[in-house]
Amino acid sequence: MPARDIFHNAVKKGLEKEGWKITHDPLPVSFELGDMYIDLGAERILAAEREGEKIAVEIKSFFKTSAISEFHTALGQFINYRLALSEQEPDRTLYLAVPIDTYTSFFTIRLVQNIIKTYQLKLITYQPVTEDIVEWIN
């Protein structure tokens, strides 16, 4: 079982506040190289416009000294997980969850924005202290 990110519970509670039911914690996916674990799987059951929508969320804190190094790791995981999900659960959308402070200070630089656009990353920004989802970026 993989270690949980320091803000795992903050994102989980934020999703629950928005009406998501956590269905997997973690969400296992298998691939040729072995088993992988995405931090959370969730399903929207309350809001009519998104009823039945399924997501998977990989949570990152960006606490290490090199944001670009953590971003490279997160991007690699995101691409691997998205490929595995497309084969095993094609109805589930993968999101990368990042703290709002990291998003505003690092994810808005042109290089990172170009990478997000090129690889069509879907993001959730969250506030770790209040345990709120701030924004969904598709």
Side-chain angles (χ1 to χ4, degrees):
M1 191 70 63
R4 289 185 169 171
D5 187 90
I6 190 169
F7 294 137
H8 182 94
N9 285 332
V11 174
K12 183 177 177 179
K13 287 181 182 177
L15 290 170
E16 289 171 337
K17 285 180 186 179
E18 290 202 352
W20 291 91
K21 177 183 176 187
I22 304 302
T23 57
H24 300 81
D25 185 6
L27 173 65
V29 289
S30 296
F31 211 62
E32 292 174 350
L33 298 175
D35 295 332
M36 299 181 286
Y37 297 90
I38 302 172
D39 290 320
L40 294 172
E43 185 172 346
R44 176 77 101 179
I45 56 173
L46 297 178
E49 74 272 10
R50 296 173 81 176
E51 186 173 349
E53 182 179 0
K54 294 180 179 179
I55 61 171
V57 181
E58 181 62 18
I59 303 164
K60 294 298 176 197
S61 64
F62 286 85
F63 262 158
K64 296 181 180 171
T65 56
S66 173
I68 193 71
S69 178
E70 267 198 86
F71 180 67
H72 288 160
T73 299
L75 178 62
Q77 285 179 312
F78 187 92
I79 291 169
N80 290 345
Y81 294 166
R82 185 168 58 193
L83 181 61
L85 278 176
S86 73
E87 293 183 3
Q88 296 175 23
E89 293 194 48
D91 59 336
R92 193 179 293 274
T93 303
L94 179 63
Y95 285 87
L96 178 64
V98 298
I100 187 64
D101 290 348
T102 301
Y103 182 79
T104 57
S105 65
F106 178 74
F107 277 70
T108 54
I109 63 174
R110 192 167 51 99
L111 172 67
V112 176
Q113 284 291 304
N114 286 340
I115 291 169
I116 290 169
K117 184 177 178 181
T118 299
Y119 291 99
Q120 301 174 345
L121 301 184
K122 296 183 181 300
L123 302 173
I124 297 172
T125 63
Y126 63 91
Q127 175 50 258
V129 175
T130 60
E131 301 177 333
D132 289 316
I133 301 301
V134 177
E135 187 176 7
W136 295 76
I137 303 168
N138 290 305

